[in-house]
Amino acid sequence: MKFTPFFSLLLMITLYSCSSTNDVKQSFTDLCSAAENQAFDELPAMVTTGSLQYLNTIIESARTDNETEMLHLGHSSERPLMTMMLFQQLVNELRIDSTSLDGVEAPDLLSAFTFLGTGPFQPGLQLDDAMSTSSTTANLYVVVPTGGKVSILSTYQYELEDGRWKVDFPSTLEVPEKVLNQSFKKSGLGIRTYVTRYLNINPEEMEFRYRY
């Protein structure tokens, strides 16, 4: 069968879209598998460069207790509460042990998140059938369990870097951000005060383990 140029182009786009969809879903599966198997050395290559920069900024800001930088990072990442939560927990640990962040970098936090069940490492995640892709970005829709009968649909953003689909880590914090925001709005507190009080009540939720 001979295709016109228009239909040839349409066919190419359709085939590329199907390939991209499968590649993104496989990237998600590989990330979950690496976490489950504690293949920590594989995790940094599965998240975007921006994600590693995000985590390193939190670490460096915790070392100097730079709240202003965290407010800026939280705003730019659209995860103000979770960003401050990660930052404050590191600050708390430094107050207990001033050497607790010695040598710690973004990959160490990713490893710690697998034990906390943070973001893409939460147990029980399921892929939704729907997703959207372009040539360099994709939105993967993930069903996140809430502990009861209700599940929430979350959008994980992916970017194509160096020929590989990688997850944007801050995007995976959408559900805990929304949950925290409900009580934050009612609290009438500043963001850091709210997060500090939350961690005092729920210290086990952000108890990091960097070395194994």
Side-chain angles (χ1 to χ4, degrees), residues 55-70 73 87 91 94 101:
L55 295 175
N56 278 325
T57 299
I58 293 176
I59 295 169
E60 291 304 315
S61 296
R63 288 181 174 132
T64 58
D65 200 359
N66 191 338
E67 178 181 351
T68 301
E69 180 66 25
M70 284 303 91
L73 183 64
F87 163 77
V91 171
L94 279 172
L101 288 184

Side-chain angles (χ1 to χ4, degrees), residues 17 22 45 61 82 87 105 126 185 200 208:
S17 177
N22 292 334
S61 296
M82 285 303 298
F87 163 77
E105 297 180 348
Q126 296 182 348
K185 286 182 176 179
N200 287 338
F208 290 145

Side-chain angles (χ1 to χ4, degrees), residues 87-98:
F87 163 77
Q88 187 61 48
Q89 179 59 25
L90 295 182
V91 171
N92 290 348
E93 294 189 10
L94 279 172
R95 290 171 178 170
I96 297 172
D97 178 3
S98 61

Side-chain angles (χ1 to χ4, degrees), residues 113-130:
F113 292 149
T114 65
F115 289 96
L116 287 170
T118 305
F121 308 120
Q122 179 177 343
L125 296 179
Q126 296 182 348
L127 290 179
D128 188 74
D129 291 335

